């Protein structure tokens, strides 16, 4: 997308801290007055201290910045508060020693060790500026963000033109006079007060923060004393008043002046650039690649960075597959499989007809219109025999291919689509038709056997269907016999069809290999074929009948005698 750059004189802007690229605008941000600050003006260590001076709430307190290395051979470096904030006289070393003694990089002035502990306990743990903790790093970051040096004194600016020096000084003086101040910790609030931050109650006797510019009837919980814009704790209690709300110095300034997104300085000139929903000095809105000014020029955003047209086309524009020239931002870029064409070059490789908004086919890295592709390369459907035209969906299975509508069940003709199917003898079946035609069915109920069937005489049965013909008892896993090809349980078969023992009158079934004796029209179990007198077994021995009885020869002889 191409964006035009506009100029504006708006005075309210959205606050945003942008990392300053010194290489872009030729602008370092080191310390002023011959300091040896790093590229971004970030000191290796910060200690801010405030001491109550005079009466009342100490409207004029003092702030100094301590900067030095961790070695004892480096000299401490100080910036007077009037150069930083314009608030007061010199700082005594005793406060700094108190901070170090208590184990913090900053403590509210005028408090005892116990009161300092009570105050710090009210802050979020990761915000407590204790030495060697994330809270120390957090405070250092907020010092740089909330109190940017280039907002506090002209010596720290690089891009305020000489004709606007007076405007800058007037802005600083007015801010210091009507808005800037330092909050004070009250270790014991004298009575219940509504918190100006959360709307809750700062209870009597608890720790609270008061802001001199709001009077004695205004108080905050320590954790609620935050900037009304960024919602961060106001670093070292430094605040500015804007529309009856406390703000950090950065966001207070941005209520009144636009801030350059490149150098992070306030803009005092009447004319500046607005682009990408940000404000810029007219000379600072530059191409990310070549540093040429984009003010009044068209530009293209790529990965949130602006590029001039020339650089964008040189770095990011695609090359046309047909004419081998760059596809500029004013041309439509048509793409297919990592290849790109000008709109005018997107043509059929054979007949040269335009393919814009038309179906086309691709073969051997070349594109063709539908008719040309069909005539040269199209395959035919195994269902209907027609060709696959460009854009048609093709269904394939084992070297065979169908139109989507032709890939259907050979029985019900329902399109298979992406559903499961079963191939058999070169035919395709849906699951329902395949089961209906080929699935194993029970010979008794004629329903499909899905699991746990029984085979009897090469015929399938459901387990629950394989029952005794007479009593319907399940025969699955049981002993059974058959008569006239019908299965019977042992009990029913014996009752209905088996010979009966002449001795015990019970059926002789033969199940399990049972042996029996037959004589004339009478039958006996092997165990029942015994002498009626001596009860000895006659199996395999001679015997003599005596009416209904059978006798061994010895007993028969005795009976005759």
């Amino acid at each position: 997308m191409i964006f035009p750059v506009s100029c504006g004189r708006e005075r309210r802007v959205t606050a945003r801290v942008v990392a300053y690229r010194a290489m872009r605008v030729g602008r370092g941000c080191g310390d002023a007055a011959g300091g040896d600050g790093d590229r971004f003006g970030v000191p290796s260590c910060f200690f801010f201290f405030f001491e109550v001076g005079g009466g009342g709430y100490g409207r004029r307190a003092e702030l100094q910045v301590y900067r030095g290395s961790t070695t004892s051979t480096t000299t401490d470096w100080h910036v007077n508060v009037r150069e930083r904030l314009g608030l007061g006289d010199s700082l005594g070393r005793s406060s700094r020693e108190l901070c170090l003694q208590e184990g913090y990089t900053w403590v509210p002035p005028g408090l005892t060790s116990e009161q300092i502990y009570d105050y710090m306990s009210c802050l979020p743990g990761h915000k407590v500026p204790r030495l060697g903790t994330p809270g120390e790093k957090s405070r250092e970051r907020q010092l740089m963000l909330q109190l940017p040096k280039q907002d506090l004194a002209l010596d720290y600016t690089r891009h305020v033109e000489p004709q606007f020096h007076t405007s800058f000084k007037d802005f600083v003086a007015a801010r210091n006079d009507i808005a800037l101040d330092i909050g004070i910790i009250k270790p014991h609030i004298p009575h219940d007060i509504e918190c100006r931050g959360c709307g809750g109650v700062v209870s009597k006797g608890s720790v609270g923060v008061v802001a001199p510019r709001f009077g004695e009837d205004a108080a905050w919980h320590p954790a609620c004393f935050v900037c009304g814009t960024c919602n961060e704790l106001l670093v070292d209690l430094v605040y500015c008043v804007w529309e009856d709300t406390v703000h950090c110095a950065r966001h207070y300034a941005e209520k009144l002046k636009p801030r350059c997104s490149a150098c992070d300085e306030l803009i005092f000139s009447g004319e500046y650039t607005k682009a990408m929903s940000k404000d810029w000095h007219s000379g600072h809105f530059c191409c990310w690649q070549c540093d040429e000014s984009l003010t009044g020029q068209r530009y293209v955003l790529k990965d949130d960075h602006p590029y001039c047209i020339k650089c964008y086309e040189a770095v990011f524009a695609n090359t046309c597959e047909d004419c081998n020239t760059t596809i500029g931002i004013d041309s439509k870029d048509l793409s297919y499989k990592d290849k790109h064409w000008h709109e005018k070059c997107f043509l059929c490789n054979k007949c040269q007809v335009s393919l814009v908004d038309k179906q086309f086919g691709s073969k051997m890295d070349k594109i063709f219109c539908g008719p040309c592709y069909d005539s040269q390369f199209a395959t035919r459907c195994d269902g209907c025999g027609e060709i696959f035209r460009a854009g048609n969906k093709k269904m394939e299975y084992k070297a065979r291919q169908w139109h989507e509508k032709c890939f259907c069940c050979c029985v019900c003709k329902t399109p298979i689509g992406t559903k499961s199917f079963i191939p058999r003898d070169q035919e395709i079946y849906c699951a329902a038709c395949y089961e209906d035609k080929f699935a194993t069915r029970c010979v008794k109920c004629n329903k499909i056997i899905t699991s746990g069937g029984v085979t009897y005489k090469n015929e399938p049965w459901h387990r629950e269907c394989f029952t005794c013909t007479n009593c319907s008892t399940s025969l699955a896993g049981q002993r059974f016999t058959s008569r006239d090809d019908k299965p019977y349980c042992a009990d029913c078969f014996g009752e209905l069809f088996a010979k009966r023992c002449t001795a015990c009158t019970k059926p002789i079934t033969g199940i399990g290999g049972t042996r029996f004796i037959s004589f004339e029209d009478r039958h006996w179990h092997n165990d029942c074929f015994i002498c009626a007198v001596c009860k000895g077994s006659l199996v395999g021995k001679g015997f003599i009948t005596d009416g209904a009885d059978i006798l061994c020869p010895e007993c028969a002889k005795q009976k005759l005698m």
Side-chain angles (χ1 to χ4, degrees):
M1 184 178 291
I2 303 172
F3 299 88
V5 178
S6 62
C7 295
R9 298 176 183 273
E10 278 121 15
R11 303 184 67 82
R12 293 198 184 190
V13 296
T14 300
R16 184 174 188 271
V17 179
V18 179
Y20 175 56
R21 295 198 309 147
M23 61 174 289
R24 282 283 163 224
V25 202
R27 329 137 169 77
C29 282
D31 300 305
D36 57 352
D38 58 62
R39 178 175 168 186
F40 296 101
V42 180
S44 58
C45 183
F46 275 101
F47 292 91
F48 273 37
F49 306 93
F50 298 92
E51 290 185 345
V52 177
Y57 287 120
R59 289 284 299 276
R60 287 291 178 257
E62 180 189 68
L63 171 88
Q64 275 196 333
V65 181
Y66 166 74
R67 173 183 171 126
S69 72
T70 56
T71 64
S72 60
T73 57
T74 304
T75 303
D76 291 350
W77 185 84
H78 303 281
V79 177
N80 187 274
V81 68
R82 291 189 178 279
E83 297 175 4
R84 184 78 177 185
L85 286 178
L87 292 179
D89 300 321
S90 61
L91 172 68
R93 182 171 294 272
S94 59
S95 294
R96 183 179 310 121
E97 292 173 350
L98 175 61
C99 285
L100 298 176
Q101 177 182 336
E102 297 294 334
Y104 299 101
T105 58
W106 168 85
V107 294
L111 301 182
T112 65
S113 295
E114 183 179 352
Q115 292 169 344
I116 291 172
Y117 176 80
D118 291 342
Y119 167 72
M120 295 298 182
S121 298
C122 296
L123 303 181
H126 64 289
K127 298 289 186 181
V128 176
R130 186 179 296 277
L131 288 168
T133 67
E136 177 185 5
K137 299 298 182 182
S138 174
R139 175 175 173 271
E140 289 179 7
R141 287 194 299 271
Q142 293 307 315
L143 283 172
M144 299 306 300
L145 292 175
Q146 296 186 25
L147 301 174
K149 292 192 294 185
Q150 64 271 23
D151 287 12
L152 304 178
L154 189 60
D155 289 343
Y156 297 111
T157 64
R158 292 290 183 272
H159 306 291
V160 177
E161 296 88 341
Q163 62 269 33
F164 299 112
H165 283 188
T166 300
S167 298
F168 180 92
K169 293 176 181 178
D170 290 344
F171 168 81
V172 170
R175 178 200 60 208
N176 293 353
D177 187 52
I178 66 175
L180 183 65
D181 212 335
I182 301 169
I184 297 176
I185 301 302
K186 288 287 188 179
H188 302 289
I189 294 295
H191 53 82
D192 290 351
I193 304 178
E194 181 182 354
C195 175
R196 295 291 294 268
C198 68
V201 176
V202 183
S203 302
K204 177 182 177 180
S206 64
V207 180
V209 182
V210 295
R213 291 192 183 274
F214 286 82
E216 294 188 10
D217 292 329
W220 288 258
H221 295 108
C224 296
F225 198 57
V226 298
C227 171
T229 300
C230 64
N231 207 39
E232 289 285 347
L233 280 177
L234 290 166
V235 65
D236 297 2
L237 305 179
V238 178
Y239 70 93
C240 290
V241 181
W242 173 262
E243 294 183 349
D244 205 32
T245 305
V246 291
H247 294 268
C248 64
R250 169 181 289 275
H251 292 123
Y252 170 82
E254 291 175 1
K255 302 292 183 184
L256 301 171
K257 295 290 182 182
R259 185 181 298 278
C260 178
S261 244
C263 67
D264 202 35
E265 291 188 17
L266 298 175
I267 301 172
F268 286 86
S269 62
E271 185 173 322
Y272 58 94
T273 298
K274 292 187 70 67
M276 301 166 57
S277 301
K278 302 172 186 176
D279 301 310
W280 316 71
H281 286 106
S282 295
H284 288 185
F285 185 57
C286 304
C287 171
W288 191 256
Q289 182 73 15
C290 68
D291 269 348
E292 290 296 322
S293 174
L294 296 177
T295 300
Q297 306 296 320
R298 293 192 306 164
Y299 67 98
V300 182
L301 273 181
K302 179 71 173 179
D303 298 328
D304 290 331
H305 298 312
Y307 293 84
C308 66
I309 303 303
K310 181 179 178 181
C311 288
Y312 180 84
E313 291 183 349
V315 177
F316 301 108
N318 298 304
T319 300
C320 178
E321 190 72 18
D322 184 62
C323 67
N324 205 35
T325 60
T326 299
I327 304 174
I329 63 169
D330 293 319
S331 300
K332 187 177 290 187
D333 185 336
L334 303 179
S335 63
Y336 173 71
K337 287 187 176 180
D338 298 327
K339 297 181 182 296
H340 300 263
W341 292 265
H342 290 102
E343 184 177 18
K344 64 181 181 180
C345 298
F346 194 58
L347 309 174
C348 173
N349 190 259
K350 184 176 181 181
C351 68
Q352 298 300 302
V353 67
S354 175
L355 300 180
V356 177
D357 296 328
K358 295 180 182 177
Q359 289 185 334
F360 64 91
S362 174
K363 193 75 172 180
M364 297 179 294
D365 292 333
K366 297 179 180 179
I367 53 176
F368 299 87
C369 64
C372 290
Y373 183 88
D374 291 342
S375 65
Q376 293 189 78
F377 310 111
T379 53
R380 295 185 177 274
C381 173
D382 283 309
C384 66
E386 296 294 327
I387 64 173
F388 291 97
R389 301 189 180 279
N392 288 160
K393 184 179 289 188
K394 183 188 296 184
M395 314 297 289
E396 295 184 344
Y397 175 71
K398 287 190 175 179
R400 302 177 68 195
Q401 47 201 1
W402 298 263
H403 291 107
E404 186 176 21
K405 65 178 181 179
C406 298
F407 188 59
C408 58
C409 174
C410 65
V411 177
C412 66
K413 305 302 180 184
T414 301
I416 300 295
T418 57
K419 294 181 292 187
S420 59
F421 65 93
I422 304 171
R424 181 168 178 142
D425 299 331
Q426 300 298 310
E427 298 289 353
I428 300 297
Y429 296 85
C430 66
C433 289
Y434 184 87
E435 287 184 352
D436 187 62
K437 189 169 184 178
F438 300 109
T440 302
R441 293 180 178 272
C442 175
V443 297
K444 182 176 182 180
C445 67
N446 201 36
K447 294 181 180 179
I448 295 172
I449 300 175
T450 57
S451 63
V454 174
T455 300
Y456 173 63
K457 290 190 175 182
N458 295 324
E459 291 181 327
W461 304 66
H462 289 112
R463 291 179 64 87
E464 59 270 21
C465 293
F466 190 59
T467 60
C468 174
T469 305
N470 184 57
C471 67
S472 298
T473 299
S474 175
L475 299 179
Q478 305 297 321
R479 295 191 305 166
F480 70 93
T481 187
S482 64
R483 186 181 180 89
D484 299 330
D485 293 332
K486 295 179 180 178
Y488 292 87
C489 66
D491 292 340
C492 289
F493 184 85
E495 292 293 333
L496 296 174
F497 308 112
K499 297 177 176 63
R500 290 186 177 273
C501 178
T502 300
C504 68
T505 70
K506 293 181 180 180
I508 303 173
T509 62
I511 294 175
T514 302
R515 305 178 70 178
F516 64 96
I517 307 297
S518 293
F519 177 71
E520 295 179 347
D521 58 347
R522 292 187 292 175
H523 311 279
W524 292 266
H525 292 105
N526 265 20
D527 294 339
C528 296
F529 192 57
I530 59 177
C531 173
V533 176
C534 67
K535 307 302 180 184
S537 175
L538 298 177
V539 177
K541 299 178 181 180
F543 64 91
I544 297 170
T545 62
D546 182 21
D549 297 329
I550 55 173
L551 303 172
C552 64
E554 289 79 7
C555 290
K557 184 177 180 180
Q558 289 180 3
K559 187 174 182 180
L560 290 174
M561 291 175 64

